[in-house]
Amino acid sequence: GEQTNQLSFYDQEGYYDAIYESKVVSLETDIIQQGTLTFTCPKPFRYVNEITIPDTSVNSSGVNIDVATNYRVEPVLTFRLNSSASSLTITVGDHMLTLSESLAGGATVVVDTSKAEVRVGNVVKVLELSGEFPVFYSGENNISTNVSTTLTGNYTEIYV
């Protein structure tokens, strides 16, 4: 695809991913140029703030993450296991993702929904996965795990 650039407007917070298409100049003097610029936005989203989820304890009781957006967001979540486990199941709302692999205490599991990728350490896991990658929606999103973990992560607020 074509290279996108960040297009922002003075009266809106955030930016759009846009592809520059054309420029039509209707008036030109020594000090001013007036005209029309045309951009195409492949995705109709306004990206606003990059939100960081600080160290948070997560287990089967779950924890709520409040998301201020009007569209679904695809987080990057990092779980550090507090003890060894035969598997890790992550539940966010209706989405459940299971990594069927023995994991040592202290193991780090990174779930990147936008890339549909799970890493344990630096190793990508594919065959060991089942379920759906977690997404956040506007409002409170409950995250739980089948074992005791420490969660950090981030996501970008997206608006339509």
Side-chain angles (χ1 to χ4, degrees):
E2 294 185 59
Q3 177 69 34
T4 61
N5 295 293
Q6 292 184 2
L7 173 64
S8 59
F9 297 95
Y10 75 92
D11 63 342
Q12 288 185 351
E13 186 180 10
Y15 66 91
Y16 297 84
D17 279 337
I19 299 168
Y20 170 74
E21 296 289 334
S22 65
K23 173 175 82 170
V24 176
V25 177
S26 57
L27 172 68
E28 187 170 7
T29 69
D30 291 341
I31 57 171
I32 180 175
Q33 226 184 44
Q34 183 176 336
T36 303
L37 298 175
T38 303
F39 295 89
T40 300
C41 296
K43 296 179 181 176
F45 307 127
R46 181 168 50 101
Y47 301 91
V48 181
N49 296 311
E50 179 77 18
I51 304 297
T52 299
I53 302 168
D55 280 1
T56 305
S57 294
V58 178
N59 55 34
S60 59
S61 299
V63 64
N64 286 327
I65 304 292
D66 191 34
V67 175
T69 181
N70 69 359
Y71 191 74
R72 70 185 210 127
V73 295
E74 299 178 332
V76 177
L77 304 172
T78 301
F79 297 89
R80 189 175 66 249
L81 275 69
N82 295 332
S83 60
S84 61
S86 59
S87 67
L88 174 63
T89 298
I90 302 156
T91 305
V92 179
D94 296 341
H95 298 263
M96 183 182 298
L97 183 67
T98 298
L99 172 61
S100 299
E101 177 176 307
S102 292
L103 300 161
T108 299
V109 178
V110 178
V111 178
D112 187 334
T113 297
S114 67
K115 293 181 180 176
E117 180 179 277
V118 172
R119 289 182 178 268
V120 177
N122 289 323
V123 179
V124 176
K125 300 296 177 175
V126 176
L127 299 177
E128 302 85 354
L129 295 177
S130 61
E132 296 179 277
F133 280 83
V135 294
F136 292 159
Y137 293 94
S138 181
E140 289 197 354
N141 293 265
N142 186 272
I143 301 176
S144 63
T145 53
N146 63 323
V147 296
S148 178
T149 64
T150 300
L151 165 70
T152 58
N154 62 69
Y155 63 91
T156 301
E157 291 177 324
I158 298 175
Y159 295 86
V160 176

